[in-house]
């Protein structure tokens, strides 16, 4: 008789199999229509996740429902490795995002961000030209700076609650003392002095450039990453608990398989 744990593992893996189909289809669809570095960057991990879920689900279904101890052992091994990797990533996410926070600016409704405030590991990822080219492409594709163009006065603009990316990428740092024309157009005064001289020189009123290559833009991206990774880490903890429960059920199913196979072998040996 097929045990309850086998049926439960089979049912959970059928759900995972069904989930993998739209994920894999979405990755393939994105690959066919990808025209920017941002879309191409997203394609590979989506397809990889879809294929992984598909293969693991099939192994789990066959191993549990057909009582194949070998396949179920492979399934449990993959699950165990996944639990370890997820646990390590969760700890890593909390560690690397522990540093870094926006600086409040007097008379401004938004914060400004500095790349040096974040962990060295995150800084190196941002400083990598290949990584930044892809991230920069994503920022441009999202038109996050164009969304600011509301023809506001300076007093209205400085009271806005800008996102970290809008604050770092769509305007020059406040320390540059540039003259406000509109949300994404600022005049450089002749002979300006600034403690943030690198970003001041990097700023360009060309709408395809702005401050996309500024250190403040990279810091704004890291501020977003820090916020998102904190959320992901919390979700990972919940998912980790779920995986441990599934792994425990899988262990019961594996034990049942071995017991049933031993019992059948005993009956064949002693008719």
């Amino acid at each position: 008789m097929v045990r309850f744990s086998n049926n439960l593992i089979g049912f959970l893996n059928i759900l995972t199999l069904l989930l993998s189909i739209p994920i894999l289809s979405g990755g393939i669809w994105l690959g066919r229509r990808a025209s920017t570095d941002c879309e191409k960057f997203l394609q590979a991990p989506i397809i990889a996740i879809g294929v992984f879920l598909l293969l693991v689900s099939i192994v789990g279904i066959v191993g549990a429902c057909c009582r194949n101890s070998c396949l179920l052992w492979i399934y449990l091994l993959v699950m165990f490795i996944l639990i370890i990797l997820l646990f390590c990533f969760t700890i890593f996410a909390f560690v690397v995002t522990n540093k870094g926070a926006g600086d409040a600016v007097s008379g401004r409704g938004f914060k400004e961000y500095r790349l040096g405030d974040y962990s060295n590991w995150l800084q190196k990822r941002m400083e990598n030209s290949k990584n930044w080219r892809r991230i920069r492409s994503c920022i441009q594709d999202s038109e996050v700076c164009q969304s600011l163009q509301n023809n506001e006065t300076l007093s209205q603009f400085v009271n806005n609650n800008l996102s970290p990316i809008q604050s770092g990428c769509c305007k020059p740092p406040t320390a540059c003392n540039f003259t406000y024309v509109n949300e994404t157009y600022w005049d450089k005064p002749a002979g300006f002095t600034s403690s943030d001289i690198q970003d001041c020189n990097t700023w360009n009123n060309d709408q395809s450039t702005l401050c996309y290559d500024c250190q403040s833009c990279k810091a704004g991206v890291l501020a977003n990453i820090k916020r998102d990774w904190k959320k992901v880490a919390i979700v990972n903890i919940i998912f980790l608990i779920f995986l441990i429960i599934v792994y425990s059920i899988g262990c019961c199913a594996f034990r049942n398989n071995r017991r049933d196979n031993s019992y059948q072998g005993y009956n064949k040996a002693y008719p």
Side-chain angles (χ1 to χ4, degrees):
M1 181 180 67
V2 179
R3 308 297 178 91
F4 173 75
S5 56
N6 295 66
N7 289 334
L8 186 55
I9 285 293
F11 174 74
L12 292 174
N13 279 280
I14 289 174
L15 293 180
T16 307
L17 178 66
L18 294 176
L19 177 63
S20 70
I21 294 174
I23 294 176
L24 187 57
S25 300
I28 295 173
W29 174 81
L30 188 62
R32 288 181 176 178
R33 68 175 294 274
S35 58
T36 66
D37 286 338
C38 181
E39 292 173 334
K40 293 175 182 177
F41 178 70
L42 294 174
Q43 171 197 356
I46 292 176
I47 291 179
I49 291 172
V51 172
F52 175 78
L53 289 176
L54 180 66
L55 294 178
V56 171
S57 300
I58 292 174
V59 171
I61 292 170
V62 176
C65 297
C66 297
R67 287 179 286 178
N68 188 308
S69 297
C70 181
L71 288 179
L72 198 55
W73 183 87
I74 294 174
Y75 173 78
L76 291 175
L77 178 63
V78 172
M79 289 289 289
F80 179 76
I81 294 173
L82 183 60
I83 289 172
I84 297 299
L85 291 176
L86 196 60
F87 176 79
C88 292
F89 173 77
T90 302
I91 299 299
F92 176 76
F94 276 114
V95 171
V96 299
T97 59
N98 187 49
K99 294 175 60 180
D103 298 324
V105 182
S106 177
R108 300 290 190 268
F110 49 79
K111 293 181 178 181
E112 294 189 341
Y113 303 84
R114 296 179 182 274
L115 186 61
D117 292 340
Y118 294 88
S119 69
N120 291 331
W121 188 86
L122 287 176
Q123 289 185 49
K124 290 179 180 178
R125 303 289 84 73
M126 290 296 103
E127 294 289 1
N128 183 287
S129 58
K130 184 178 180 181
N131 291 342
W132 183 247
R133 178 173 55 81
R134 290 172 173 172
I135 295 171
R136 188 185 194 279
S137 174
C138 290
I139 296 173
Q140 288 182 292
D141 291 344
S142 68
E143 298 185 345
V144 64
C145 293
Q146 283 69 19
S147 66
L148 289 176
Q149 297 175 350
N150 299 315
N151 296 317
E152 296 177 320
T153 63
L154 177 59
S155 60
Q156 291 175 321
F157 176 74
V158 298
N159 288 315
N160 281 341
N161 183 22
L162 302 181
S163 69
I165 290 180
Q166 289 174 329
S167 176
C169 306
C170 305
K171 67 170 190 60
T174 301
C176 294
N177 294 317
F178 287 176
T179 302
Y180 176 84
V181 178
N182 63 39
E183 294 85 354
T184 58
Y185 196 100
W186 300 70
D187 281 339
K188 293 183 181 181
F192 71 89
T193 57
S194 171
S195 59
D196 217 331
I197 191 72
Q198 181 179 353
D199 281 358
C200 295
N201 287 328
T202 304
W203 168 264
N204 193 306
N205 285 317
D206 184 335
Q207 296 301 295
S208 64
T209 304
L210 298 178
C211 220
Y212 292 138
D213 292 317
C214 293
Q215 298 295 300
S216 62
C217 186
K218 297 175 182 178
V221 171
L222 288 183
N224 263 19
I225 290 175
K226 176 181 178 179
R227 181 194 62 195
D228 293 341
W229 275 29
K230 291 288 187 183
K231 295 178 181 178
V232 169
I234 294 174
V235 173
N236 279 350
I237 292 174
I238 298 173
F239 187 53
L240 192 59
I241 295 173
F242 172 75
L243 285 180
I244 292 173
I245 294 174
V246 173
Y247 180 77
S248 300
I249 297 172
C251 289
C252 293
F254 179 71
R255 186 177 64 247
N256 292 339
N257 285 358
R258 294 190 63 182
R259 184 181 300 164
D260 289 346
N261 291 338
S262 298
Y263 180 75
Q264 292 174 3
Y266 178 81
N267 287 340
K268 290 180 180 179
Y270 299 94

